[in-house]
Amino acid sequence: MINFKEEIAKKISKATNIDQEEIEKYIEIPKDTKNGDYSFPCFNLAKTLKKPPVIIAQEIAEKIEVNNSSIENINCVGGYLNFYINQNNFSKEVLKKISEQETFGKSNIGEGKTILIDYSAPNIAKPFHIGHLKTTVIGGALYNIYKHLGYNVIGINYLGDYGTQFGKLIEGYKRWGNEYDLTQEPIDKLAEIYKRINDLASEDEEVLNACRENFRLLENGDEYCTKLWKEFKDLSLTEFQKIYDLLGSHFDSWNGEAFYADKTDEVIEILEKTGKLIESEGARIVDLSEQGISTPCIVCKSNGSTIYATRDLAAILYRARTYNYDKSLYVTSYEQNLHFKQIFEVAKLLGLDEKYTKGLEHVSYGMVRLPSGKMSTRKGNFVKIKDLLNDTIEEAKKIIEEKNPDLEDKDEVAKRVGVGAVIFNNLATSRVKDEIFDITQMLNFQGETGPYIQYTYVRTNSILSKIEKVPEFDESYVEKLDDNYSKNIIKLLYNFEDTLIQVTLKEEPSILAKYLIDLAKAFSVFYNENKIIGDNAEIQNARVYLTYCVNKTLKQGAELLGMQMPDKM
Ligand code: ARG
């Protein structure tokens, strides 16, 4: 398909002698088509060309020839250059392309490149709480989208399965394990045992020492302690898997923190040789003040033990050697901004090829908040994802019962709608913003929600079910689809692949979420304004064909976000 952005960038680049790629970055798609199909804000070049944007726009416009087959017209408005494309040729190409592609928007631009995505990473023996929902959903969407674009993607679940807390948990279990039935809600029980022993250890030095001893034994591979630790881990993983099954999460590696426990020595050795590892109050640290980070990175505590950062450094070494990655993403909340800033700086001292340190990227996100009073927090103040998902599914079921009591397979539909609503809500706003977890709002079929997209999809299904067979693409459709409602949809369909690419440039799945809302809205307008199944066979075929394209794209896009589409609802 013609890549208009590229075409336009080529022309501007020729006219200005500025790098084409640089130009392409600035090309925008105006909100209102009156301002063209593409637009180039010339103020971006004002500094380089030392001229006012209005003049730049005029000079470029004079140098560019318009040919009727792709770009039909150019005009200058203020400092903007607006480009109008030849709609007929464009529509023909888009519609034809969709008919040829089994999986829409699939491409191979990522071929030969490897992307690591470190996401979800809950801590074992602790509840999978709401903060981990967001990393699981954002990471999962990125995983699907990169794959779709042809990248080799490795999803890593870097479990929090190591640390002195396990020495405590083992001690607690030794003392009170027989009071608890770990076959039911094991994580709650382990969390309770942990709380008890933690309280006791804070008062009693002897207990604390016993905990430390357990951890030492665990580190040295003691059989009993290792067996317990493994049991805690297995119990946790079984619980986590239930959530992953609901969300459709997939991981290629489960190497957690414990996997790196015996790999931190090498990190320390390498850092020692650089001379940058210095003593400070008994601990060993790397000072980062020259890099503008005022808090040093602790590598070894004063008692000699390593910390979270040390294991993350060992993981960087291991991942560079094992995967030869191009990008290595870490999806966590912004609470860990400092941690990643620190370790990405220290990683530069590990002697790795620059490619690997340049490829490190922290994909941070905002907090999830509950609308106060609206949701039961169950026991204590911990809101568990399992409860949130189940509450949402239950609510979805009630709505479906009301709207469509005769629907078959209501439970499955409620699951798709409920989980889809949660996934979409996590991805609908740009990731740095805080999110409100409001079940009523996220299940609003008319709002900018997951269910709205599913509902629009179901509508397209019901239109398609009225005809015997989706007609093949025919060039004559183009003139039948020249109303603004249809043209708007065609343009959105064209933008699908670019939308996916934009997601990967900014690690921002909300770009796709917004796109799907726009497409669903555009279809709703088209549907309200145009009779799709009607008496004119030719028009009907063209409109049904367009409906089919929307159907395919909505499904493809929603699935890339991790949602499942119901056929009916
Ligand atoms: N387990 C950590 C937590 O719950 C997240 C781990 C993120 N990944 C990493 N490589 N540090 O906060």
Side-chain angles (χ1 to χ4, degrees), residues 118-123 129 132 158-161 257 308 312 315 319 330-332 336 339-340 343:
D118 176 319
Y119 70 110
S120 196
N123 302 317
H129 65 82
H132 286 119
Y158 183 73
L159 291 169
D161 54 2
E257 286 187 55
Y308 182 52
D312 252 331
R319 290 173 186 177
Y330 295 80
V331 188
T332 82
Q336 300 198 31
H339 166 75
F340 285 106
I343 63 162

Side-chain angles (χ1 to χ4, degrees), residues 63-78:
K63 284 193 195 154
I64 291 181
E65 16 162 336
V66 283
N67 67 6
N68 271 329
S69 67
S70 59
I71 291 159
E72 218 169 43
N73 194 11
I74 306 180
N75 67 20
C76 312
V77 181

Side-chain angles (χ1 to χ4, degrees), residues 404 407 454-470 523 527 532-533 540 544 547-548 550-551 554 566-569:
N404 193 354
L407 184 72
Q454 289 169 322
Y455 184 67
T456 312
Y457 169 75
V458 164
R459 250 177 164 179
T460 60
N461 265 349
S462 100
I463 295 163
L464 297 177
S465 71
K466 291 202 181 92
I467 48 147
E468 234 168 71
K469 193 170 154 273
V470 176
F523 182 78
Y527 176 86
I532 299 177
I533 308 281
Q540 173 174 315
V544 166
T547 303
Y548 163 74
V550 171
N551 174 281
L554 282 178
D567 293 326
K568 294 183 179 167
M569 68 194 262

Side-chain angles (χ1 to χ4, degrees), residues 333-547:
S333 83
Y334 59 61
E335 288 165 302
Q336 300 198 31
N337 281 1
L338 174 63
H339 166 75
F340 285 106
K341 259 197 197 153
Q342 292 175 321
I343 63 162
F344 292 172
E345 273 308 323
V346 178
K348 293 182 187 160
L349 305 172
L350 294 177
L352 290 167
D353 188 304
E354 212 187 23
K355 165 185 176 186
Y356 298 118
T357 44
K358 278 206 169 136
L360 298 168
E361 202 176 320
H362 181 210
V363 179
S364 77
Y365 58 80
M367 296 292 162
V368 186
R369 297 185 195 291
L370 299 167
S372 50
K374 273 207 179 154
M375 185 112 66
S376 65
T377 55
R378 303 277 150 96
K379 256 186 288 163
N381 49 15
F382 243 130
V383 185
K384 285 186 280 172
I385 300 205
K386 207 169 64 179
D387 296 339
L388 287 181
L389 286 171
N390 287 333
D391 286 357
T392 316
I393 294 171
E394 238 171 71
E395 252 339 277
K397 178 96 184 281
K398 277 190 213 149
I399 298 175
I400 291 162
E401 288 283 6
E402 218 173 87
K403 280 198 200 274
N404 193 354
D406 300 326
L407 184 72
E408 279 170 35
D409 226 357
K410 271 184 270 198
D411 284 323
E412 177 61 24
V413 175
K415 195 176 102 188
R416 292 184 179 199
V417 172
V419 174
V422 172
I423 291 181
F424 194 85
N425 193 56
N426 268 279
L427 300 173
T429 40
S430 63
R431 59 181 159 78
V432 292
K433 283 205 187 137
D434 287 355
E435 169 199 334
I436 315 273
F437 196 101
D438 181 338
I439 292 186
T440 316
Q441 181 266 321
M442 72 174 82
L443 279 173
N444 179 354
F445 283 29
Q446 266 90 47
E448 298 194 347
T449 61
Y452 171 63
I453 289 166
Q454 289 169 322
Y455 184 67
T456 312
Y457 169 75
V458 164
R459 250 177 164 179
T460 60
N461 265 349
S462 100
I463 295 163
L464 297 177
S465 71
K466 291 202 181 92
I467 48 147
E468 234 168 71
K469 193 170 154 273
V470 176
E472 298 270 320
F473 169 71
D474 190 286
E475 291 198 359
S476 69
Y477 294 168
V478 171
E479 49 193 82
K480 306 280 178 316
L481 297 173
D482 76 342
D483 59 292
N484 281 338
Y485 311 112
S486 309
K487 285 200 294 204
N488 196 18
I489 292 181
I490 294 170
K491 214 164 137 197
L492 281 162
L493 293 172
Y494 171 76
N495 286 339
F496 185 55
E497 189 181 328
D498 188 54
T499 302
L500 301 182
I501 294 171
Q502 293 301 321
V503 170
T504 63
L505 293 178
K506 304 193 173 102
E507 320 302 348
E508 185 67 88
S510 68
I511 297 173
L512 176 56
K514 288 202 187 87
Y515 169 88
L516 291 175
I517 292 288
D518 288 345
L519 183 59
K521 278 187 182 162
F523 182 78
S524 303
V525 181
F526 165 82
Y527 176 86
N528 291 336
E529 300 293 331
N530 290 332
K531 202 164 163 196
I532 299 177
I533 308 281
D535 13 63
N536 180 324
E538 276 176 34
I539 295 185
Q540 173 174 315
N541 276 350
R543 290 184 178 161
V544 166
Y545 184 77
L546 191 64
T547 303

